[in-house]
Every structure is written in structure tokens, then in C-alpha cells.
């Protein structure tokens, strides 16, 4: 195989990160093998799995020379696993895939063509939210599309309009320069995008849905309020000076909603103050998020009657001007 690709078909490095999800991983890998783009190399980075992941991946490497299995001896997190994959990449571009998500067959072909035609270094696509049952069968799908043609750093400071790493493609040289922050518990994708765009790059939007983001009952960082709380806190502290007044209000609003949900001893007065920071009812995305967070918060407060928890980390103390 031509390891460099040709013309409008450059070599793309596909990095799949996984941890103890052997069954879900099968669908993710299958979606990569079904790509219509002719030049791929596939790295499966195993973040210290203790299930059958290693045996399954080694069988795949014997069947397909494009697949390479890389095992991290003990779990160090998805950020570290992605950085390991970046260090091995030989392609002109890198595309990331979480082990519980799936690409559509033309995902790599379309995004690589966009980057080749525009001469840009970063692109993302739309997605389907695919809700699955315990047998990993899709029972409902919901389309999610960002309508802007490009996203700039100033746009991204308001909200992570780009979304999950399974949606993006980035130039390998740029990914090596930026890398993922391994100290973040969540929002690592958001931070990665912010640091790319802060360098003056833009994110080109492929509005076609090319990814299934699978919503399942298993553990996900995106469903962990505690992890999101810590990640949001660090994002605010890191980029606060670059934000406009309105962006600060919105980011702090979201953070304080998360803090209220996480801290079971916050009262309704605190909740009202958090809600008053930003007219969230006018923003459909925030409306859905806040409704969910409020319900989570009440649920956690009910559980706190049985279990007393303490929180070592102090909340962000920033006064709005």
C-alpha cells in the first residue's frame, strides 16, 4: 500500500482509544474498516483494559495490516491515550474515534477532501445522537447540526460548538504541536480546540452528519457531573481573560449550575442566583442542559440525606464587572 496516499487521497491516521469496552469496540473498528477513503492506518490505543480487548485487537492485527495495537500498561486516561496515538501517526491528517462511537462510511473521505480543497488544518462534522439499549442496538436517533460555516476562537469561547473528538479531523503536524492536556478530567476536547483556534486557525464545518455518538447506559465522562464540574472550572480559569463580558457570564452560569448539581448542600437561593447570571431560557441548548442539571441536582440532594459527602475543591470565585 502507498503509505503516503496520492493527490486528493492523503494518508489518514485513525486513532481509536479504548478502555474495557471490547464489545463496543468491535462496532467502532468495523466502522473504520468500512471507510471509503483508500489510504488509512489504524491505531487502537488500549488504556490498560482488563477485559478481552487485547486478544480481540491482536486478532485484528493478524487479519488487516493497516491495524496496529498499542497497549498502555495501566490506565492513564483518554487524553494520554490520544497523545500516544498522535506520536505514532504517519498520516497527513489525524481522525479520532472513541470506542463507543461509530463513523459513517464516507467520513474520512469527505473531511480529507475538505481539508485538501480549503488548505485548512482543522475540520469537524455534524452527528447523530444514537440512543442504544443494553444489547447495543440503536432505538432512537437525533440529528445535531451546527449551522455556521466556520468556527473561530472568539466563537468557541462562548461554548464548545464543535463537540466530540469523534467528529474532527486535524493536520498531524498541528495535533503534535498542541496535544491534549492530560491534567483535565473533562472538557479535554474543548481545551484542545481552543488552543488550536487561538493560534489563528479556523474550524471548517462539514454540515453533513458523519458520526454516530452512541448514548448508552455505560459510564461516560460526559454523564459525570463531578468530572464536568472540574473540567469547566479549569476552562474558565484558563481562558477567562480572553472572554467578553457576556461570555464570562455564560461560562460562569454553566459552571455554577454544575457546582449546584454537584454540591448537595447548596440551597435554592444559590440556584436562583446561578440561573440569573444568564438568560438561559432564551438559548435552547442551555435550556436543555440546565433542565437536566436541575433534575440531577435534586436527585443528588435526595441521595445526600443518606450519605454525607464533603468536597475538598473550592468553587471558582470570580466577580463579574
Amino acid at each position: 500500500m502507498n503509505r503516503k496516499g496520492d493527490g486528493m487521497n492523503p494518508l489518514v491516521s485513525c486513532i481509536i482509544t479504548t478502555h474495557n469496552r471490547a464489545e463496543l469496540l468491535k462496532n467502532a473498528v468495523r466502522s473504520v474498516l468500512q471507510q471509503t477513503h483508500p489510504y488509512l492506518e489504524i491505531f487502537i490505543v488500549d488504556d490498560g483494559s482488563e477485559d478481552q480487548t487485547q486478544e480481540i485487537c491482536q486478532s485484528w492485527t493478524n487479519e488487516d495490516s493497516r491495524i496496529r495495537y498499542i497497549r498502555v500498561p495501566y490506565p492513564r486516561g483518554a487524553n494520554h491515550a490520544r497523545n500516544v496515538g498522535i506520536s505514532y501517526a504517519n498520516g497527513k491528517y489525524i481522525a479520532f474515534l472513541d470506542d463507543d462511537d461509530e463513523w459513517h462510511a464516507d467520513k474520512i473521505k469527505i473531511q480529507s477532501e475538505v481539508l485538501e480543497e480549503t488548505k485548512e488544518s482543522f475540520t469537524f462534522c455534524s452527528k447523530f445522537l444514537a440512543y442504544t439499549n443494553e444489547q447495543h442496538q440503536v432505538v432512537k436517533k437525533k440529528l445535531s447540526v451546527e449551522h455556521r460555516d466556520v468556527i473561530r476562537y472568539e466563537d468557541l469561547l462562548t461554548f464548545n460548538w464543535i463537540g466530540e473528538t469523534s467528529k474532527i479531523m486535524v493536520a498531524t503536524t498541528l495535533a503534535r504541536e498542541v496535544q491534549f492536556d492530560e491534567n483535565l478530567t473533562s472538557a479535554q476536547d474543548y481545551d484542545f480546540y481552543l488552543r488550536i483556534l487561538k493560534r489563528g486557525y479556523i474550524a471548517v464545518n462539514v454540515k453533513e452528519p458523519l458520526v454516530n455518538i452512541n448514548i448508552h447506559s455505560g459510564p461516560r465522562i460526559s454523564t459525570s457531573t463531578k468530572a464536568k464540574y472540574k473540567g469547566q472550572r479549569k476552562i474558565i480559569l484558563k481562558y477567562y481573560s480572553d472572554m467578553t463580558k457576556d461570555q464570562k457570564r455564560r461560562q460562569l452560569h454553566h459552571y455554577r449550575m454544575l457546582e449546584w448539581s454537584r454540591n448537595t448542600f447548596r440551597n435554592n437561593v444559590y440556584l436562583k442566583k446561578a440561573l440569573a447570571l444568564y438568560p438561559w431560557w432564551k438559548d435552547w441548548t442551555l435550556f436543555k442542559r440546565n433542565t437536566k442539571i436541575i433534575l440531577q441536582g435534586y436527585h443528588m440532594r435526595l441521595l445526600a440525606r443518606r450519605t454525607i459527602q464533603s468536597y475538598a475543591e473550592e468553587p471558582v470565585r470570580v466577580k463579574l464587572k
Side-chain angles (χ1 to χ4, degrees):
M1 183 184 74
N2 182 351
R3 297 291 293 177
K4 295 183 179 180
D6 55 51
M8 291 291 288
N9 294 307
L11 178 66
V12 177
S13 302
C14 306
I15 299 174
I16 308 172
T17 52
T18 187
H19 175 71
N20 285 342
R21 283 175 173 165
E23 289 303 314
L24 288 173
L25 180 62
K26 293 178 182 178
N27 293 331
V29 172
R30 186 181 302 113
S31 75
V32 178
L33 296 177
Q34 292 174 347
Q35 291 298 301
T36 56
H37 186 78
Y39 301 111
L40 301 176
E41 60 176 8
I42 305 166
F43 298 99
I44 303 175
V45 185
D46 180 3
D47 187 35
S49 294
E50 298 174 345
D51 58 2
Q52 301 301 311
T53 297
Q54 184 170 2
E55 292 80 359
I56 292 173
C57 290
Q58 287 176 340
S59 67
W60 287 333
T61 60
N62 294 331
E63 296 172 1
D64 195 317
S65 61
R66 297 175 299 174
I67 300 177
R68 182 171 178 181
Y69 173 67
I70 304 167
R71 178 173 172 79
V72 179
Y74 59 91
R76 297 184 60 180
N79 291 357
H80 176 76
R82 293 186 184 110
N83 286 338
V84 169
I86 290 171
S87 69
Y88 279 91
N90 300 297
K92 183 176 182 179
Y93 303 117
I94 290 177
F96 301 95
L97 180 62
D98 289 347
D99 56 7
D100 53 350
D101 297 330
E102 299 170 56
W103 288 339
H104 295 192
D106 289 332
K107 198 262 188 188
I108 299 301
K109 180 177 184 294
I110 291 173
Q111 287 192 307
S112 61
E113 287 178 352
V114 166
L115 291 182
E116 288 293 296
E117 291 171 359
T118 61
K119 306 301 180 184
E120 297 292 345
S121 299
F122 186 37
T123 184
F124 68 102
C125 64
S126 296
K127 67 184 177 184
F128 282 107
L129 292 172
Y131 296 84
T132 61
N133 57 22
E134 294 182 357
Q135 289 73 43
H136 309 308
Q137 298 172 328
V138 177
V139 295
K140 183 175 70 171
K141 292 178 74 173
K142 183 178 179 181
L143 177 63
S144 176
V145 179
E146 169 56 42
H147 295 287
R148 277 173 287 194
D149 294 327
V150 299
I151 301 294
R152 294 179 170 82
Y153 179 64
E154 295 76 15
D155 304 319
L156 205 61
L157 287 170
T158 300
F159 183 73
N160 182 7
W161 307 109
I162 296 173
E164 298 82 355
T165 52
S166 295
K167 297 168 55 180
I168 73 167
M169 181 179 288
V170 59
T172 301
T173 54
L174 181 57
R176 283 208 176 99
E177 291 174 7
V178 178
Q179 299 205 341
F180 288 86
D181 185 346
E182 298 181 17
N183 295 315
L184 286 175
T185 56
S186 73
Q188 52 266 70
D189 51 357
Y190 190 16
D191 175 73
F192 182 67
Y193 309 153
L194 282 166
R195 286 187 288 118
I196 287 176
L197 301 194
K198 190 172 183 178
R199 293 171 176 239
Y201 295 94
I202 62 173
V204 181
N205 185 6
V206 178
K207 299 176 184 179
E208 186 175 346
L210 302 174
V211 178
N212 280 0
I213 303 297
N214 292 320
I215 310 299
H216 52 82
S217 58
R220 295 175 65 100
I221 289 178
S222 59
T223 59
S224 169
T225 302
K226 183 177 180 180
K228 288 194 291 186
Y229 163 86
K230 291 182 178 179
Q232 182 77 6
R233 182 179 191 273
K234 290 182 177 180
I235 289 292
I236 291 174
L237 292 173
K238 194 170 184 179
Y239 299 100
Y240 190 80
S241 62
D242 290 344
M243 297 177 185
T244 65
K245 182 177 179 179
D246 192 59
Q247 287 172 332
K248 291 173 182 176
R249 291 174 67 88
R250 176 166 177 160
Q251 291 283 4
L252 284 168
H253 161 80
H254 183 50
Y255 167 80
R256 288 175 181 173
M257 285 292 294
L258 290 172
E259 184 189 353
W260 176 84
S261 179
R262 174 178 179 267
N263 192 326
T264 58
F265 300 101
R266 294 293 182 187
N267 57 29
N268 289 331
V269 174
Y270 182 89
L271 173 62
K272 290 177 182 178
K273 289 182 178 180
L275 293 175
L277 275 173
Y278 189 87
W280 57 276
W281 53 89
K282 297 181 181 179
D283 187 311
W284 178 238
T285 300
L286 278 180
F287 181 83
K288 291 187 292 182
R289 282 175 173 265
N290 289 345
T291 301
K292 182 177 180 180
I293 290 170
I294 289 171
L295 294 175
Q296 287 177 338
Y298 278 118
H299 178 65
M300 292 175 69
R301 291 174 69 183
L302 288 174
L303 293 178
R305 294 176 182 177
R306 302 175 184 176
T307 305
I308 297 178
Q309 298 178 344
S310 62
Y311 299 94
E313 191 169 6
E314 289 296 320
V316 176
R317 303 298 182 191
V318 184
K319 292 184 178 180
L320 296 176
K321 297 180 180 180

